[in-house]
Amino acid sequence: MKRIAILIMLISITGLTACANSSTTPKNASSQNTTAIVMELDENYDDTDPFVNEKLFCVSEDLDSLTATGTLDMDGGNGSLEVKNNKTNEVLWSETWETSVEEEAFSISLENLKKDDEYVICFTGTEINHATIEVAFDSDVVQERERPLQ
């Protein structure tokens, strides 16, 4: 009987120690250094066709390369996603979807980003009922910027 009680106590201590360790260690250590940019659009977003939605970002240091992961959920129509230099309009990355997609994952690879430049994630859509785009950069040097009021 004593052996069973000791065994149960050891299992409990082991379980509590494992829980304590997991609560102090993040599930994904890089998630603390992630910047996510989210765009959500519906058919009432804009009455022009195609419509455009843009989000600005910058980097706090020059980078040889930067990667991001993204997801697109789009109902209806066609969509195009681009990452561009906001000043020069140079397209650094692009992808196009010609049908509805449900939670499709994609990856972005960017090269030679400069801390003095501003970049834009641009989604262009035609005949869209709803679209949600999320882009997550695995770096804490990326900051989303607010677009100045027109």
Side-chain angles (χ1 to χ4, degrees):
M1 189 68 154
K2 265 187 168 179
R3 288 182 187 176
I4 294 174
I6 291 173
L7 181 61
I8 291 173
M9 193 167 66
L10 286 174
I11 291 171
S12 297
I13 290 171
T14 304
L16 289 173
T17 303
C19 290
N21 288 341
S22 69
S23 67
T24 59
T25 305
K27 290 181 183 176
N28 181 357
S30 67
S31 68
Q32 290 183 339
N33 296 328
T34 299
T35 300
I37 296 176
V38 179
M39 293 185 269
E40 189 159 1
L41 316 143
D42 63 23
E43 58 196 2
N44 299 316
Y45 170 74
D46 194 342
D47 60 359
T48 61
D49 205 17
F51 65 79
V52 177
N53 187 326
E54 297 179 331
K55 294 278 186 152
L56 299 173
F57 72 95
C58 63
V59 293
S60 60
E61 60 187 61
D62 292 347
L63 298 173
D64 292 333
S65 66
L66 177 67
T67 58
T69 56
T71 56
L72 172 70
D73 188 26
M74 182 175 74
D75 177 26
N78 302 311
S80 172
L81 187 64
E82 296 177 324
V83 178
K84 302 186 284 190
N85 181 306
N86 197 36
K87 187 181 350 179
T88 66
N89 251 359
E90 176 189 5
V91 176
L92 307 173
W93 178 91
S94 68
E95 182 75 36
T96 302
W97 294 267
E98 296 183 2
T99 61
S100 294
V101 294
E102 189 172 319
E103 296 297 320
E104 183 172 315
F106 56 89
S107 63
I108 298 173
S109 180
L110 304 171
E111 296 180 0
N112 300 319
L113 300 181
K114 304 296 180 202
K115 71 177 182 177
D116 296 330
D117 287 348
E118 188 173 62
Y119 302 95
V120 62
I121 298 174
C122 176
F123 181 77
T124 304
T126 57
E127 301 174 4
I128 302 287
N129 298 317
H130 182 267
T132 303
I133 302 102
E134 182 171 345
V135 177
F137 294 95
D138 289 333
S139 175
D140 59 355
V141 301
V142 176
Q143 293 94 32
E144 185 174 354
R145 282 209 170 149
E146 293 294 320
R147 183 168 294 284
L149 297 174
Q150 303 279 342

